[in-house]
Amino acid sequence: RPRVLSGIQPTSDSFHLGNYLGAVRQWVPLQETHDAFYMVVDLHAITVAPTAAELRTRTRVAAAQLFACGLDPERSAVFVQSHVREHAELAWMLICLTGMGEAGRMTQFKDKSAKYGEGSASVGLFTYPILQAADILLYQTDQVPVGADQKQHIELTRDLAQRFNTRYGATFTLPNPYIVKEVEKITDLQDPTAKMSKSSSSPQGILDVLEEPGALRKKIMRAVTDTGTDIVADDENKPGVTNLLRILSALTATPIPDLEARYVGQGYGTFKKDVAEAVIETFSPIRERAEKLLANEAELDRMLAIGAAKARAVAQQTMEKARDAMGFLPTH
Ligand code: AQP
């Protein structure tokens, strides 16, 4: 079976609708058709300096949400990145194969470092896409289900794999992104041209999976809509309405033209109420399952240990190959 791998950062107290629709929702059916590896990327999360308590809590909350969304510890490997030490080791090897200019072209670094003063973002934030390349290559991944913001990082991963293979002999599989066009970029409710983001959206612009129904409803009712009254998809002139149409379409499996026809002559109010109900209906059972999982930390940790063991077996095999190919002496 082809292999899929993806990850999510424990950088806040909940995933948001963009993470869910753009990535995690795709991960669930892929368990049936692929050899699946999904991780909570805690090594990535320390690029933005959380406290130890924050990292610990957010890592468990992230894992609980993944299981609550339908990932199954029996059918896929669900694990915490730092439990497999090889990620950091391979990242170092790949860092040494990456040009400064090449790393400097990553647009996500430019976005994410903007909020720090000039020169104050961590070196880890700068090298983050190379750790991501290591995450992917370690598992000989064929496909990486992600949102559009990750396209450039998958390209870098392919370049690094190719470079390594050319210099040291065939070692790594070249991965492809797996992106679902309709939901590749869910946007901020208050700034509908920007992506909904854990770190840069305002609380009013983001819909968290673990949020209470009342708060979700309020935010959707207050979402920025555009001038005019028509409910039609038009990225250029109506980015707010278009984002809400995409959300409703994805959550109710209804094509956008059907929704446009349904809301002819109806106001934004009715439309937004329906979007809110669809979001609440999707998130409520996830929230309830996540709360149950979090109430039993020992069981949650046990589920993650099963995933780590599966992941380690594959990662160790790849690393033996990579170390030898690069010329590192064996330890025995
Ligand atoms: N707005 C979005 N629309 C579609 N997909 C999205 N993803 C993120 N935002 C959207 C996808 O979710 C997966 C996990 O993301 P991540 O945790 O690696 O972080 P990110 O891409 O950097 O997303 P955020 O929310 O902006 O987090 P922070 O603020 O922590 O950096 C990825 O597959 C991503 O494409």
Side-chain angles (χ1 to χ4, degrees), residues 6-12 15-24 27 41 44 48 108 112 115 128 132 145-151 183-188 194-201 206:
S6 200
I8 186 147
Q9 297 194 72
T11 36
S12 80
F15 300 162
H16 57 72
L17 183 66
N19 299 137
Y20 177 73
L21 284 180
V24 180
W27 300 0
V41 290
H44 284 281
V48 293
Q108 211 184 52
K112 289 194 176 183
K115 67 173 180 199
Y128 161 117
Q132 193 177 327
V146 284
D149 59 332
Q150 298 297 327
K151 249 187 236 168
V183 285
E184 65 174 13
K185 184 181 170 189
I186 299 300
T187 59
D188 186 307
K195 113 176 161 146
M196 188 180 284
S197 157
K198 293 191 222 86
S199 53
S200 54
S201 288
I206 193 167

Side-chain angles (χ1 to χ4, degrees), residues 12 16 27 49 84 89 124 128 166 249 263 292:
S12 80
H16 57 72
W27 300 0
V84 183
E89 185 183 358
Y128 161 117
T166 308
S249 166
Y263 291 105
K292 260 193 212 136

Side-chain angles (χ1 to χ4, degrees), residues 302-316:
R302 189 194 65 83
M303 288 158 82
L304 290 170
I306 298 174
K310 285 193 218 171
R312 228 175 268 129
V314 178
Q316 284 172 351

